[in-house]
Amino acid sequence: MMVVRYLLIFVILFVQVSCLNSQQKHYTSPDGYDLQHPQVFQMPKELEEISGNAFYAGNKDMLYAIQDEDGYIYSFQLGSDKVQATRFGKKGDYEDVTIYKGTAIVLKSNGTLFSVPVSEIGKPKAEGVQEWKGLLPDGEYESLFADEKNKELYVMCKSCHADRKNSVVTVYVFDLSADSVQPKNNFTFDAAQLGNYIPSKKYILFKPSAIALNPLTDEWYLLSSVNKLLVVTDRSWKVKQVHELKNAVFEQPEGISFDANGNLYISSEAGENEQGVVMKFAYKPTK
């Protein structure tokens, strides 16, 4: 009888453990990437609140970053302790940075844009900075990307009046061909598509925190820290993949970029951790 009792207890425990394992969330990754195993680079104290990152012409030798409290652009090599800080503006809530030809463009949360000559980055204070106000309607913005091939600048809204109570997110496009920032057009991204990929979340109020264009696949990568999602779309913004992000890996993901080889970089603010980080996800073509 004692043997039978222990056997029954073992079977019950085995079934309970199996059920728990079956209920564990399965995390996926875009083709060619493994989002569960990044190479992690710890950021210095001044980049504890890192909010955006970008490469110049895809050159992985130098990363440019901003943080969301001070008007500085930081430039450094990943893995190096040497970080150069260049002031370009006053204190403020700066959310993203992108580079178009020889100019770094910075996005403030209220929609104000700043252009900073790359040649000035590395100096204590940048000269030739331009400020662009009133190009975007009132709202909250965190996502910015310059498409050098098509000479266009994309700004994706995080929280705008026109999008409230709707499952859409407005994207504003600017023309950069005349070495200035000129409004071109705008359109809406249909976030209702996301519910088709995540059955547990039929309605998603999508709040993007960063966007980037994959240079190898020509696909848009949309990052959302609030939703803990990485969304992959085609060039026409039709959703192709949706990947939920694991909290243990992505504390507070706020920035995204690619180098010329297609390697993916996601920056994350410190959150409950002591340091901000930049995570590299090496591109490995699938056979």
Side-chain angles (χ1 to χ4, degrees), residues 25 57 123 134 153 162 178 192 241 250:
K25 187 176 291 186
K123 301 177 182 179
L153 180 71
Q241 304 172 43
F250 300 91

Coordinates of all heavy atoms in Angstrom, one line a residue, residues 25 57 123 134 153 162 178 192 241 250:
K25 N 4.9 30.5 -21.4 CA 4.8 31.2 -22.6 C 6.0 30.8 -23.5 O 7.1 30.8 -23.1 CB 4.8 32.7 -22.4 CG 4.5 33.5 -23.6 CD 4.4 35.0 -23.3 CE 3.1 35.2 -22.5 NZ 2.9 36.7 -22.3
A57 N 25.5 55.4 -41.3 CA 25.6 54.6 -42.5 C 25.9 53.2 -42.2 O 26.6 52.5 -43.0 CB 26.8 55.2 -43.4
K123 N 32.6 66.8 -29.8 CA 33.0 68.0 -29.2 C 32.2 68.3 -28.0 O 31.1 67.7 -27.8 CB 32.9 69.2 -30.2 CG 33.7 69.0 -31.5 CD 33.4 70.2 -32.4 CE 34.1 70.0 -33.7 NZ 33.9 71.2 -34.7
G134 N 6.8 72.7 -34.5 CA 5.5 72.8 -35.2 C 5.3 72.0 -36.4 O 4.3 72.1 -37.1
L153 N 12.0 60.9 -43.8 CA 12.1 60.8 -42.4 C 10.7 60.4 -41.9 O 9.7 61.0 -42.2 CB 12.4 62.2 -41.7 CG 12.5 62.2 -40.2 CD1 13.8 61.4 -39.8 CD2 12.6 63.6 -39.7
A162 N -5.7 62.2 -32.5 CA -6.4 61.7 -33.7 C -6.5 60.1 -33.6 O -7.4 59.5 -34.2 CB -5.7 62.1 -35.0
A178 N 15.9 68.2 -49.8 CA 16.4 69.5 -50.0 C 17.3 70.0 -48.8 O 17.4 71.1 -48.5 CB 15.3 70.5 -50.1
A192 N -4.9 47.0 -35.4 CA -5.8 45.9 -35.2 C -5.3 44.6 -35.8 O -5.7 43.5 -35.4 CB -7.1 46.3 -35.8
Q241 N 5.0 39.6 -38.8 CA 5.3 38.9 -37.6 C 5.1 39.7 -36.4 O 5.3 41.0 -36.5 CB 6.8 38.4 -37.6 CG 7.2 37.6 -38.8 CD 8.7 37.4 -38.8 OE1 9.3 37.1 -37.8 NE2 9.3 37.5 -40.0
F250 N 14.2 41.9 -21.7 CA 13.9 43.3 -22.1 C 13.3 44.0 -21.0 O 12.0 44.0 -20.8 CB 13.0 43.3 -23.3 CG 13.6 42.6 -24.5 CD1 13.3 41.2 -24.8 CD2 14.3 43.2 -25.5 CE1 13.8 40.6 -25.9 CE2 14.9 42.6 -26.6 CZ 14.6 41.3 -26.8

